Short mmCIF file of all heavy atoms in Angstrom, two decimals:
data_model
loop_
_atom_site.label_atom_id
_atom_site.label_comp_id
_atom_site.label_asym_id
_atom_site.label_seq_id
_atom_site.Cartn_x
_atom_site.Cartn_y
_atom_site.Cartn_z
N LEU A 1 -16.27 -2.16 9.60
CA LEU A 1 -16.49 -2.10 8.16
C LEU A 1 -15.17 -2.07 7.40
O LEU A 1 -15.00 -2.76 6.39
CB LEU A 1 -17.32 -0.87 7.80
CG LEU A 1 -18.81 -0.88 8.18
CD1 LEU A 1 -19.46 0.44 7.79
CD2 LEU A 1 -19.52 -2.03 7.48
N PHE A 2 -14.23 -1.26 7.89
CA PHE A 2 -12.93 -1.17 7.22
C PHE A 2 -12.13 -2.46 7.40
O PHE A 2 -11.53 -2.97 6.45
CB PHE A 2 -12.13 0.02 7.77
CG PHE A 2 -12.48 1.32 7.13
CD1 PHE A 2 -13.48 2.14 7.65
CD2 PHE A 2 -11.81 1.75 6.00
CE1 PHE A 2 -13.82 3.33 7.05
CE2 PHE A 2 -12.13 2.95 5.39
CZ PHE A 2 -13.14 3.74 5.92
N VAL A 3 -12.11 -3.00 8.61
CA VAL A 3 -11.28 -4.18 8.89
C VAL A 3 -11.77 -5.40 8.11
O VAL A 3 -10.97 -6.15 7.54
CB VAL A 3 -11.27 -4.47 10.41
CG1 VAL A 3 -10.64 -5.83 10.70
CG2 VAL A 3 -10.49 -3.38 11.14
N PHE A 4 -13.07 -5.61 8.04
CA PHE A 4 -13.62 -6.83 7.45
C PHE A 4 -13.96 -6.72 5.96
O PHE A 4 -13.99 -7.73 5.27
CB PHE A 4 -14.86 -7.28 8.23
CG PHE A 4 -14.57 -7.71 9.63
CD1 PHE A 4 -14.97 -6.94 10.71
CD2 PHE A 4 -13.87 -8.88 9.89
CE1 PHE A 4 -14.69 -7.33 12.01
CE2 PHE A 4 -13.60 -9.28 11.18
CZ PHE A 4 -14.00 -8.51 12.25
N PHE A 5 -14.21 -5.50 5.48
CA PHE A 5 -14.68 -5.36 4.11
C PHE A 5 -13.72 -4.58 3.20
O PHE A 5 -13.69 -4.82 1.99
CB PHE A 5 -16.06 -4.69 4.08
CG PHE A 5 -17.13 -5.52 4.72
CD1 PHE A 5 -17.55 -5.25 6.01
CD2 PHE A 5 -17.70 -6.59 4.05
CE1 PHE A 5 -18.53 -6.02 6.62
CE2 PHE A 5 -18.67 -7.36 4.65
CZ PHE A 5 -19.09 -7.09 5.93
N MET A 6 -12.97 -3.63 3.74
CA MET A 6 -12.03 -2.86 2.91
C MET A 6 -10.77 -2.53 3.71
O MET A 6 -10.47 -1.36 3.94
CB MET A 6 -12.69 -1.60 2.37
CG MET A 6 -13.61 -0.89 3.33
SD MET A 6 -14.51 0.45 2.55
CE MET A 6 -15.62 0.92 3.89
N PRO A 7 -10.03 -3.54 4.15
CA PRO A 7 -8.91 -3.31 5.08
C PRO A 7 -7.73 -2.57 4.47
O PRO A 7 -6.96 -1.94 5.19
CB PRO A 7 -8.50 -4.74 5.48
CG PRO A 7 -8.96 -5.60 4.35
CD PRO A 7 -10.22 -4.96 3.85
N ASN A 8 -7.58 -2.64 3.14
CA ASN A 8 -6.42 -2.00 2.49
C ASN A 8 -6.76 -0.69 1.81
O ASN A 8 -5.94 -0.14 1.08
CB ASN A 8 -5.83 -2.97 1.45
CG ASN A 8 -5.38 -4.26 2.08
OD1 ASN A 8 -4.70 -4.26 3.11
ND2 ASN A 8 -5.75 -5.39 1.50
N MET A 9 -7.96 -0.18 2.04
CA MET A 9 -8.41 1.02 1.35
C MET A 9 -7.54 2.24 1.70
O MET A 9 -7.26 3.08 0.84
CB MET A 9 -9.87 1.31 1.71
CG MET A 9 -10.44 2.52 1.02
SD MET A 9 -12.16 2.80 1.48
CE MET A 9 -12.49 4.31 0.58
N LEU A 10 -7.12 2.35 2.95
CA LEU A 10 -6.37 3.51 3.40
C LEU A 10 -4.85 3.33 3.27
O LEU A 10 -4.09 4.22 3.63
CB LEU A 10 -6.72 3.83 4.86
CG LEU A 10 -8.20 4.14 5.12
CD1 LEU A 10 -8.47 4.30 6.60
CD2 LEU A 10 -8.64 5.38 4.36
N GLY A 11 -4.42 2.17 2.76
CA GLY A 11 -2.99 1.92 2.57
C GLY A 11 -2.55 2.20 1.14
O GLY A 11 -3.37 2.43 0.25
N ASP A 12 -1.25 2.18 0.92
CA ASP A 12 -0.68 2.39 -0.41
C ASP A 12 -0.35 1.05 -1.03
O ASP A 12 0.31 0.21 -0.39
CB ASP A 12 0.58 3.26 -0.31
CG ASP A 12 1.00 3.82 -1.66
OD1 ASP A 12 1.21 3.02 -2.59
OD2 ASP A 12 1.10 5.05 -1.78
N SER A 13 -0.77 0.84 -2.26
CA SER A 13 -0.54 -0.46 -2.92
C SER A 13 0.93 -0.77 -3.07
O SER A 13 1.33 -1.94 -3.09
CB SER A 13 -1.23 -0.47 -4.29
OG SER A 13 -0.74 0.60 -5.11
N GLU A 14 1.78 0.27 -3.19
CA GLU A 14 3.22 0.05 -3.35
C GLU A 14 3.83 -0.61 -2.12
O GLU A 14 4.88 -1.25 -2.22
CB GLU A 14 3.94 1.38 -3.61
CG GLU A 14 3.67 1.99 -4.97
CD GLU A 14 4.39 1.25 -6.10
OE1 GLU A 14 5.38 0.55 -5.80
OE2 GLU A 14 3.96 1.38 -7.26
N ASN A 15 3.18 -0.46 -0.98
CA ASN A 15 3.75 -1.01 0.24
C ASN A 15 3.46 -2.49 0.41
O ASN A 15 3.89 -3.10 1.40
CB ASN A 15 3.24 -0.24 1.47
CG ASN A 15 4.32 -0.02 2.50
OD1 ASN A 15 5.50 0.13 2.15
ND2 ASN A 15 3.96 -0.01 3.76
N TYR A 16 2.75 -3.08 -0.54
CA TYR A 16 2.52 -4.53 -0.53
C TYR A 16 3.48 -5.24 -1.47
O TYR A 16 3.32 -6.41 -1.78
CB TYR A 16 1.06 -4.82 -0.90
CG TYR A 16 0.09 -4.26 0.10
CD1 TYR A 16 -0.48 -3.00 -0.07
CD2 TYR A 16 -0.22 -4.98 1.26
CE1 TYR A 16 -1.34 -2.48 0.88
CE2 TYR A 16 -1.09 -4.46 2.21
CZ TYR A 16 -1.65 -3.21 2.01
OH TYR A 16 -2.50 -2.68 2.95
N ILE A 17 4.52 -4.49 -1.90
CA ILE A 17 5.62 -5.04 -2.70
C ILE A 17 6.87 -4.97 -1.85
O ILE A 17 7.14 -3.94 -1.21
CB ILE A 17 5.81 -4.25 -4.01
CG1 ILE A 17 4.51 -4.23 -4.82
CG2 ILE A 17 6.95 -4.82 -4.82
CD1 ILE A 17 4.55 -3.29 -6.01
N VAL A 18 7.64 -6.04 -1.82
CA VAL A 18 8.86 -6.07 -0.99
C VAL A 18 9.80 -4.95 -1.39
O VAL A 18 9.92 -4.59 -2.57
CB VAL A 18 9.55 -7.46 -1.10
CG1 VAL A 18 10.06 -7.71 -2.51
CG2 VAL A 18 10.66 -7.58 -0.07
N ALA A 19 10.47 -4.35 -0.41
CA ALA A 19 11.36 -3.21 -0.65
C ALA A 19 12.48 -3.56 -1.62
O ALA A 19 13.12 -4.61 -1.49
CB ALA A 19 11.94 -2.73 0.68
N ASN A 20 12.70 -2.66 -2.57
CA ASN A 20 13.75 -2.85 -3.57
C ASN A 20 14.53 -1.55 -3.71
O ASN A 20 14.03 -0.57 -4.28
CB ASN A 20 13.14 -3.25 -4.91
CG ASN A 20 14.22 -3.53 -5.96
OD1 ASN A 20 15.41 -3.46 -5.69
ND2 ASN A 20 13.78 -3.85 -7.16
N PRO A 21 15.76 -1.48 -3.17
CA PRO A 21 16.52 -0.22 -3.23
C PRO A 21 16.95 0.17 -4.64
O PRO A 21 17.41 1.29 -4.86
CB PRO A 21 17.75 -0.52 -2.35
CG PRO A 21 17.86 -2.00 -2.32
CD PRO A 21 16.48 -2.54 -2.45
N MET A 22 16.78 -0.75 -5.61
CA MET A 22 17.18 -0.46 -6.99
C MET A 22 16.02 0.05 -7.84
O MET A 22 16.20 0.37 -9.01
CB MET A 22 17.76 -1.72 -7.64
CG MET A 22 18.93 -2.33 -6.90
SD MET A 22 20.31 -1.16 -6.72
CE MET A 22 20.83 -1.02 -8.42
N GLN A 23 14.82 0.14 -7.27
CA GLN A 23 13.65 0.57 -8.03
C GLN A 23 12.87 1.60 -7.22
O GLN A 23 12.37 1.29 -6.14
CB GLN A 23 12.76 -0.62 -8.37
CG GLN A 23 11.54 -0.26 -9.21
CD GLN A 23 10.67 -1.47 -9.50
OE1 GLN A 23 11.00 -2.58 -9.11
NE2 GLN A 23 9.56 -1.24 -10.18
N THR A 24 12.77 2.80 -7.78
CA THR A 24 12.06 3.88 -7.09
C THR A 24 10.58 3.87 -7.49
O THR A 24 10.27 3.76 -8.68
CB THR A 24 12.67 5.24 -7.47
OG1 THR A 24 14.07 5.20 -7.25
CG2 THR A 24 12.06 6.36 -6.64
N PRO A 25 9.65 3.99 -6.53
CA PRO A 25 8.21 4.06 -6.87
C PRO A 25 7.90 5.31 -7.70
O PRO A 25 8.63 6.30 -7.63
CB PRO A 25 7.53 4.12 -5.50
CG PRO A 25 8.54 3.63 -4.53
CD PRO A 25 9.87 3.99 -5.08
N PRO A 26 6.82 5.27 -8.46
CA PRO A 26 6.46 6.44 -9.29
C PRO A 26 6.23 7.71 -8.47
O PRO A 26 6.57 8.81 -8.89
CB PRO A 26 5.16 6.00 -10.00
CG PRO A 26 5.18 4.51 -9.93
CD PRO A 26 5.90 4.14 -8.68
N ALA A 27 5.62 7.55 -7.30
CA ALA A 27 5.37 8.70 -6.42
C ALA A 27 5.60 8.27 -4.98
O ALA A 27 5.03 7.28 -4.52
CB ALA A 27 3.95 9.22 -6.60
N ILE A 28 6.45 9.00 -4.27
CA ILE A 28 6.75 8.69 -2.87
C ILE A 28 5.91 9.61 -2.00
O ILE A 28 6.11 10.84 -1.98
CB ILE A 28 8.25 8.87 -2.57
CG1 ILE A 28 9.07 7.96 -3.48
CG2 ILE A 28 8.55 8.59 -1.11
CD1 ILE A 28 10.57 8.19 -3.38
N VAL A 29 4.96 9.03 -1.29
CA VAL A 29 4.06 9.81 -0.43
C VAL A 29 3.93 9.12 0.91
O VAL A 29 3.99 7.88 0.99
CB VAL A 29 2.67 9.99 -1.06
CG1 VAL A 29 2.74 10.87 -2.30
CG2 VAL A 29 2.04 8.64 -1.40
N PRO A 30 3.73 9.88 1.99
CA PRO A 30 3.48 9.26 3.30
C PRO A 30 2.03 8.83 3.42
O PRO A 30 1.25 8.91 2.47
CB PRO A 30 3.81 10.39 4.27
CG PRO A 30 3.49 11.63 3.51
CD PRO A 30 3.80 11.34 2.06
#
């Protein structure tokens, strides 16, 4: 169910943006 219908539900949306050392995310969480 997770893999086929909601694969990104448990991930952080910020991690789908390429890393930028000049821009800090609003909240840094593991």
